[in-house]
Amino acid sequence: MKSFRAMLPAAIEEARRAALLDPANPGPRVVMVTAARGAQYGRARFRPLWDGLVARAPHHYEGYWQALQYWCAKWYGSDRLMMRFAGRAVRKAPQGSPLTGMYLHALDAQGVPSTARFVTVTDPAAG
C-alpha cells in the first residue's frame, strides 16, 4: 500500500497533463477523482476535481461512481453526505440514464439489506 500511495501523485499529475491535451475528454478527470481517495485529498482539494469533471461530462456514470465512493463513510464523507450526493445524482440524471441507480449503490454501501431496497408500488386506480 505504501508504494501504491507513493505513485498516486504522479498518476494525478499525468492525468492533469492528459486533461490539458484533450480538455473535452472526461477520462483523465475520472482518473483524478478516483486517485484523490487514495491520495487522501480533503474536500477542498477534491471539489475542484469533481467540478472539472461534471463541467465536461455532467452525467458520467463512472465519475459519479468514484465520487460516491469518496463521499461514503469509509472514505471522506458520511452516510448522510453519500446519500445526499446520490439523491442529487438521481435528480439531475436525464430520463433513462444509468445514474438513476446511484441511489441503490449508496444504499448498498451503507449495508442496507437488499430486501429493504425495493418497494412495490401499486396503482391506486387499479383497485
Side-chain angles (χ1 to χ4, degrees):
M1 195 62 165
K2 185 178 178 180
S3 61
F4 169 74
R5 282 210 168 106
M7 293 171 48
L8 286 173
I12 292 169
E13 184 54 35
E14 289 303 315
R16 282 188 206 283
R17 287 185 190 145
L20 291 173
L21 292 172
D22 187 0
N25 183 351
R29 295 182 188 283
V30 173
V31 170
M32 288 186 269
V33 165
T34 304
R37 282 196 324 271
Q40 302 176 328
Y41 276 27
R43 294 174 187 173
R45 287 181 75 192
F46 178 79
R47 191 65 197 196
L49 299 177
W50 175 246
D51 290 344
L53 172 59
V54 295
R56 285 151 186 83
H59 310 294
H60 194 283
Y61 184 85
E62 183 64 21
Y64 270 86
W65 168 251
Q66 295 300 330
L68 182 79
Q69 296 304 306
Y70 179 89
W71 290 113
C72 76
K74 69 181 174 185
W75 288 99
Y76 301 103
S78 65
D79 288 345
R80 183 181 63 80
L81 289 171
M82 177 184 60
M83 296 307 292
R84 283 180 48 206
F85 178 82
R88 280 193 306 272
V90 171
R91 285 189 301 278
K92 290 180 179 182
Q95 188 171 357
S97 168
L99 280 182
T100 57
M102 205 55 56
Y103 199 81
L104 293 176
H105 288 303
L107 289 173
D108 185 56
Q110 279 187 284
V112 174
S114 60
T115 56
R117 290 189 195 142
F118 301 99
V119 178
T120 302
V121 178
T122 57
D123 182 355

